[in-house]
Structure formats: C-alpha cells, structure tokens
Amino acid sequence: MSTYYPRTKDLTRTRKSLTDSPPSSPSATDKNYRHERLSRYDSSGESATDKPLGRTSSYQRRETRLAALTRQEQDSTAKDYKKMYAEALHENERLKSRLQDSKQELAKIRSQLEKVTQRHDRISERSSVLESEKREKQALEKRVSDMEEEVKILTELKSDNQRLKDENGALIRVISKLSK
C-alpha cells in the first residue's frame, strides 16, 4: 500500500507543475494528463473529486485494486503451496520407491548372508568332522604301526622259537646217540 502513496504525490506535483507552466506544444505527457483530467470529470463538467460519491468511487477503485493484488498474491501463494505440495508428494513417492528398493536389497543381502553363514557352518562342521577323522586316522595309523611292530616281534619270536625247536631237536638226537 505504501508504494501507491508516493506515486500519487508525484502525480499531484506533476499536475501542479504542468498547470503552472505556460502551454506549449502538446507532448505525450500533456496528452496523458489531459486524458486523466477529462476522465475525472463527469458529463456535467464537474470534477468527480468534488462529489462525495466520486471520492468514494476513487477509494473503491483503490480498494478494488488492492483487493485484486492481494487476491493475486493469495492465488500465487496458493499455487506455490499446491506446487510445493505436488513436489513434496513426488519427493515422498521417490523416497518410498528408494526405501522399497533398499528393503529388497537388504532382504537379498540377508539371504546371501544366511547362505554364507550356513555354508560356513557346514564347512566348520566338515572341518570338525575332518579334524575328528584326522584324529581317528592318526589313532588308527598309530595302532597299525603298533600292530606292525607286534607282528615283527611275533615273526621274530616265531623264528626264534623255530630255531630253538630245531636246536632242541638236534640236542635230543645228540643225547639219544650218546645214551645208546
């Protein structure tokens, strides 16, 4: 509203300066001024500002202009709000789709992690089974080596026994010859 007052004062000053100066050739500003001045007079030749109704109508025109301006501002802000709302909805939809994608990716990664964990468990089970099998194998190998040692000893004992039997038989023959 404050922007309208200085303009009105400037127009009044311009009008006063035009009326004070002697008439010269009509310029564009003079024609506009004359047009404004003529439009302020009604058909009877009286100034519209002299009448109370004319004054009211100028106030009404100013109020109408101000109301139109505020309506335009309200419409533009309403449009801005609508635009901002539409942008917010679009942003929300975009974020929802990104969230959904992230959830799907998270589920995929979780399933992969579960598979890897199961595989690791199986491998660790296998490794524990392999370890126990290694221990059993080592125990069996040790037992086999012990048995091989025993077999060696037994074969040596058998050979010693056979040798002793042969010597014993030879001694028995020698003794029987001597006793005859």
Side-chain angles (χ1 to χ4, degrees):
M1 281 178 53
S2 64
T3 57
Y4 296 111
Y5 291 119
R7 182 175 174 208
T8 319
K9 289 179 182 176
D10 290 340
L11 283 176
T12 336
R13 286 184 196 144
T14 309
R15 285 183 197 144
K16 285 181 183 177
S17 65
L18 286 175
T19 54
D20 293 343
S21 64
S24 59
S25 66
S27 65
T29 27
D30 291 340
K31 288 179 184 177
N32 286 340
Y33 172 67
R34 201 174 308 132
H35 175 66
E36 279 183 28
R37 200 169 73 188
L38 287 175
S39 66
R40 290 182 183 247
Y41 287 97
D42 61 358
S43 61
S44 65
E46 289 184 46
S47 172
T49 56
D50 294 342
K51 293 182 187 177
L53 276 178
R55 203 172 270 229
T56 311
S57 67
S58 68
Y59 286 130
Q60 285 176 346
R61 280 183 289 183
R62 185 173 53 174
E63 290 298 321
T64 306
R65 275 186 281 143
L66 290 175
L69 284 174
T70 56
R71 261 188 260 117
Q72 287 175 353
E73 288 175 1
Q74 288 174 349
D75 289 345
S76 67
T77 57
K79 288 177 185 176
D80 289 343
Y81 288 133
K82 287 178 183 178
K83 185 178 178 182
M84 287 171 31
Y85 179 73
E87 288 173 356
L89 280 178
H90 178 70
E91 182 71 15
N92 282 347
E93 290 300 320
R94 187 180 64 80
L95 290 174
K96 281 181 184 178
S97 70
R98 282 184 61 195
L99 178 65
Q100 189 66 25
D101 292 343
S102 297
K103 283 182 179 179
Q104 289 173 352
E105 188 175 344
L106 179 63
K108 184 179 175 182
I109 289 172
R110 280 186 178 163
S111 68
Q112 288 175 351
L113 179 64
E114 185 66 29
K115 286 178 185 177
V116 168
T117 305
Q118 288 175 355
R119 197 176 311 143
H120 180 69
D121 289 345
R122 277 186 260 147
I123 289 172
S124 66
E125 287 174 8
R126 285 181 190 164
S127 66
S128 65
V129 167
L130 288 175
E131 267 186 46
S132 64
E133 286 178 359
K134 277 184 182 179
R135 283 189 223 125
E136 287 178 23
K137 184 179 176 182
Q138 287 173 350
L140 287 175
E141 286 175 349
K142 186 176 179 182
R143 197 167 168 198
V144 166
S145 67
D146 289 343
M147 290 178 124
E148 286 175 348
E149 287 292 321
E150 287 180 15
V151 167
K152 282 182 185 176
I153 293 171
L154 282 176
T155 53
E156 286 177 7
L157 285 176
K158 278 186 180 179
S159 66
D160 284 344
N161 195 12
Q162 188 61 38
R163 187 179 47 86
L164 287 173
K165 279 183 183 178
D166 291 340
E167 283 179 11
N168 204 10
L171 284 173
I172 290 176
R173 274 184 291 198
V174 169
I175 293 177
S176 72
K177 277 187 188 178
L178 286 174
S179 60
K180 285 189 182 179

